[in-house]
Amino acid sequence: MRRLPLAWVLMHIVMVMAFASDAQAEDSPQARAIVRAGTIEAGLAAGYVQGNEAFTSISSNRSALYVLPRIGMVLTPEVGRGFFAGNLELLFEPLYAHYFKPFGASAAGGSFVFKYNFLSFGRWMPYWDLGLGMLWTNLAPRIPEQSTQVNFVTESGPGLHYFVTERVALTIGVRFHHISNADIGDRNLGLNSTLAYAGISVFWPRFIERIP
């Protein structure tokens, strides 16, 4: 349980540092002008998963390296005011993972990720996402949590983009990551983890307007 709050605290510290910077400098890229309805995002991130004993997991001895490509589109114009001004994005995020604890194993699958982008902070763009998907893993049935190799994924957490140019943004984030077979097997105690990741994304603004 200790690792999950620590990861979230570190993520919030990074966000506070971002907000205190010169995010609104007129000569810097502005997320509000780049990430608009129709904008396409394509990216790649690497992540580290550490199991925790939150809710129903049996053991925290679950560790893996994740590869997370992503492709998606901003669906809505800007809504809200002040801190909450932003828009909604939908991404498809495949995943591949190599587990090295409690033993060598693999996982592969993908999620649809809903992402709310906060647009009031200049070249810094905080966001919160929620992902729903499926994966196959040969961790099961060798672990006590799960009895089926096909499972469902639910994940959510904060993230942050930093626009180094008007197209390219560096990315960091952290999620609570839950794997479950939805009771289609005889064991479904849940595999719960903290997923921390970092990567890069490229944005192509106003894609819809370019379609003839």
Side-chain angles (χ1 to χ4, degrees):
M1 286 293 289
R2 294 177 181 176
R3 293 184 179 91
L4 181 60
L6 177 59
W8 284 51
V9 167
L10 291 174
M11 189 68 205
H12 282 87
I13 290 173
V14 171
M15 288 185 176
V16 170
M17 292 172 63
F19 301 159
S21 73
D22 60 343
Q24 302 294 341
E26 294 182 358
D27 59 347
S28 67
Q30 300 292 303
R32 175 172 274 126
I34 301 166
V35 184
R36 301 160 69 186
T39 295
I40 294 291
E41 177 186 353
L44 179 65
Y48 175 78
V49 158
Q50 176 59 56
N52 60 63
E53 298 174 10
F55 304 112
T56 57
S57 285
I58 290 177
S59 173
S60 62
N61 186 34
R62 310 286 185 257
S63 301
L65 296 177
Y66 269 49
V67 178
L68 299 163
R70 58 168 52 181
I71 183 74
M73 178 184 287
V74 178
L75 301 179
T76 69
E78 184 175 334
V79 297
R81 296 181 180 180
F83 178 91
F84 296 101
N87 53 32
L88 182 65
E89 185 177 353
L90 176 62
L91 300 123
F92 176 63
E93 187 178 80
L95 73 83
Y96 174 78
H98 174 71
Y99 280 83
F100 49 90
K101 289 183 180 180
F103 43 73
S106 298
S111 296
F112 287 101
V113 178
F114 295 91
K115 175 168 164 266
Y116 188 81
N117 301 309
F118 295 89
L119 301 174
S120 297
F121 306 98
R123 69 194 305 161
W124 301 88
M125 189 175 78
Y127 62 86
W128 194 285
D129 61 24
L130 170 65
L132 304 169
M134 297 182 68
L135 62 75
W136 170 92
T137 177
N138 58 2
L139 276 174
R142 296 181 287 169
I143 56 174
E145 292 97 320
Q146 303 300 114
S147 60
T148 62
Q149 293 187 327
V150 175
N151 289 273
F152 300 93
V153 176
T154 305
E155 53 190 348
S156 185
L160 181 67
H161 291 300
Y162 174 76
F163 283 90
V164 291
T165 74
E166 292 184 354
R167 296 290 183 270
V168 178
L170 303 179
T171 304
I172 58 172
V174 62
R175 295 172 179 164
F176 178 76
H177 188 75
H178 174 71
I179 297 173
S180 165
N181 65 25
D183 292 328
I184 61 175
D186 58 6
R187 297 196 311 277
N188 182 38
L189 297 177
L191 182 59
N192 298 317
S193 306
T194 301
L195 168 60
Y197 61 91
I200 189 169
S201 284
V202 180
F203 292 81
W204 288 276
R206 308 296 289 180
F207 181 78
I208 290 176
E209 291 184 352
R210 299 180 185 181
I211 299 176

